[in-house]
Amino acid sequence: MIDVPRETGGSSVTAMGTVIDHAIVIEAPEAAVQAYLDAFTDREWEVRVSSRGDFLAQLFALELSSATRDALAAPALWRTAATAEPERFLLHPPVALLARLTADERRELYRLLAGWPGNKPERWPLVFRDAAALRALSGREGIPVALMDRAAALSYPFAGGLAFSDFSVVAVEFPDPEVLFRFLQLASRVESVIPRLRLSTAKSVSETLAYWTINYRNPFALPLLEALAESETVGGTELESFLPGSIRHRLFDLSPEGVSHDLSLNSFMIAASLAAPLGEPADPAVFFAWFERQFQPVSPPFRFGDVLVLQSEDGETPVSYACAFIYEDLVFAKDPSGLGLWRFMRLAELRQRNPHFARADFVAWRRVPSP
């Protein structure tokens, strides 16, 4: 947090008290910014196909120029990934190729690449509300106007916003690491809210827990509600205080010692932790099998601790993503934009923070009651 919380005027009265939203401004900590700088300066694509020809066939279904397709087909760019998976290749795109893609080509190609989990910039690009918001960073804290103009030129539009995946191009053309660091730090800065729960005088936190979660069936709701209630009198409440210690290490933005960019799995695990004890699933396959046993789809109205899962109309999305429902339209979520933080977000805002969310919506899952 870098700001003192302030009243926004928004509030919601429940049977157990009043929830008041306080606005704050947060940014990614230095370790997370440095991790992004280190990981994404050199671009590499993971392509899970049976052969190079299979990938080229998929490229022909996209609106790409013949020059772009020919460049991506060059054998020199390809190598087999050093894993036990036979259908996995690594493709190292030249900076010159990335620099000359059109906005339409970026949108088409990066949506395809986002379907494979290794392609982090394509899955989680930096997002700006519009070109004016991006260029507003020009000149701030020494950021050159030319850098922001170049970032705007390397972005592609979606749903009124701009998505920026080609940080590696900017890193080559503007090689000053301090400038690049400041750019990423400014790009991560975002407004959030802290929902502060002002309890009715005759009600306790435990009674509120029962009201929000029904029959105390949400074991991690109590520390969250206690943190919300405490934040009414104690300023600067850290977001990590809302979660049990067993999963705090997954919040790489908040505990950056173990930086990770596996946002898909983390979003599910942290959202599910608000509704059920997780333990430590050994791998994603184990976790998702556990999730399907423990949770079932539900219809509105939602309640605290429900897990909202991104789903497109055709049942497919390039990325997996989940968040935890808090109340009304507020969720606890990983900001799905590049260096975004775990924070409280409105659902409408969340859908505008990633180009892959624009054509999708959220469906809710709830913990299956214990027998």
Side-chain angles (χ1 to χ4, degrees):
M1 293 181 189
I2 62 172
D3 247 2
V4 177
R6 59 188 183 276
E7 289 279 351
T8 65
S11 65
S12 178
V13 178
T14 75
M16 295 293 144
T18 302
V19 182
I20 303 174
D21 292 338
H22 290 236
I24 59 172
V25 177
I26 54 179
E27 67 181 23
E30 292 186 359
V33 175
Q34 188 63 50
Y36 188 104
L37 188 64
D38 295 342
F40 298 149
T41 297
D42 185 28
R43 196 80 163 273
E44 188 172 63
W45 292 335
E46 177 184 270
V47 180
R48 298 189 180 186
V49 291
S50 58
S51 67
R52 189 163 56 94
D54 184 10
F55 181 63
L56 297 180
Q58 295 186 49
L59 293 182
F60 271 101
L62 307 180
E63 295 184 8
L64 305 178
S65 69
S66 57
T68 297
R69 281 194 293 266
D70 291 345
L72 293 173
L77 305 184
W78 289 71
R79 64 185 176 90
T80 304
T83 68
E85 302 174 61
E87 297 183 350
R88 187 177 175 192
F89 298 88
L90 297 178
L91 177 60
H92 195 91
V95 170
L97 170 62
L98 298 174
R100 68 171 182 261
L101 293 174
T102 67
D104 288 341
E105 287 180 318
R106 294 178 205 282
R107 182 175 55 247
E108 290 270 308
L109 180 59
Y110 296 166
R111 180 172 175 80
L112 171 64
L113 291 167
W116 295 301
N119 303 319
K120 308 308 180 188
E122 293 75 25
R123 285 177 157 235
W124 316 108
L126 296 177
V127 167
F128 300 90
R129 184 178 65 254
D130 49 35
L134 194 157
R135 289 196 170 91
L137 303 183
S138 297
R140 293 178 58 187
E141 300 186 24
I143 305 300
V145 173
L147 188 154
M148 301 315 305
D149 288 343
R150 189 66 176 122
L154 292 168
S155 300
Y156 62 91
F158 78 96
L162 284 179
F164 174 65
S165 299
D166 288 308
F167 179 76
S168 59
V169 177
V170 168
V172 169
E173 297 179 358
F174 299 86
D176 187 333
E178 292 185 5
V179 170
L180 294 172
F181 187 95
R182 287 197 297 273
F183 163 58
L184 290 174
Q185 204 163 37
L186 286 174
S188 74
R189 193 170 295 175
V190 68
E191 186 174 284
S192 183
V193 299
I194 292 287
R196 295 183 172 178
L197 178 63
R198 181 175 295 155
L199 298 179
S200 301
T201 55
K203 305 298 180 183
S204 68
V205 169
S206 61
E207 287 175 309
T208 306
L209 168 67
Y211 170 73
W212 273 14
T213 65
I214 301 179
N215 298 327
Y216 300 91
R217 293 192 182 275
N218 188 320
F220 288 135
L222 181 56
L224 173 59
L225 290 177
E226 288 175 340
L228 295 181
E230 181 184 10
S231 72
E232 178 57 39
T233 54
V234 180
T237 302
E238 296 293 341
L239 296 183
E240 64 182 349
S241 68
F242 297 145
L243 295 166
S246 62
I247 62 160
R248 285 181 191 171
H249 69 281
R250 298 188 181 280
L251 301 173
F252 75 82
D253 314 87
L254 303 176
S255 300
E257 296 80 8
V259 173
S260 167
H261 297 288
D262 187 2
L263 308 186
S264 297
L265 176 62
N266 283 357
S267 71
F268 270 89
M269 296 189 76
I270 292 174
S273 76
L274 291 177
L278 277 179
E280 287 294 333
D283 56 56
V286 171
F287 169 77
F288 286 112
W290 171 88
F291 183 84
E292 290 181 352
R293 292 193 305 271
Q294 296 290 330
F295 289 79
Q296 62 186 4
V298 293
S299 300
F302 307 137
R303 69 172 187 248
F304 178 92
D306 286 349
V307 178
L308 302 187
V309 177
L310 186 71
Q311 182 174 300
S312 61
E313 291 182 359
D314 56 12
E316 297 181 3
T317 58
V319 296
S320 298
Y321 184 86
C323 56
F325 181 81
I326 303 301
Y327 82 105
E328 292 186 344
D329 62 341
L330 193 71
V331 296
F332 188 64
K334 163 68 183 177
D335 186 341
S337 169
L339 280 166
L341 305 175
W342 281 96
R343 61 189 179 98
F344 292 98
M345 304 177 68
R346 302 294 177 189
L347 273 175
E349 178 195 6
L350 182 61
R351 293 188 60 196
Q352 297 170 351
R353 295 290 291 170
N354 190 294
H356 310 303
F357 289 19
R359 295 184 292 180
D361 211 335
F362 287 91
V363 296
W365 292 68
R366 183 173 299 162
R367 179 80 188 280
V368 176
S370 302

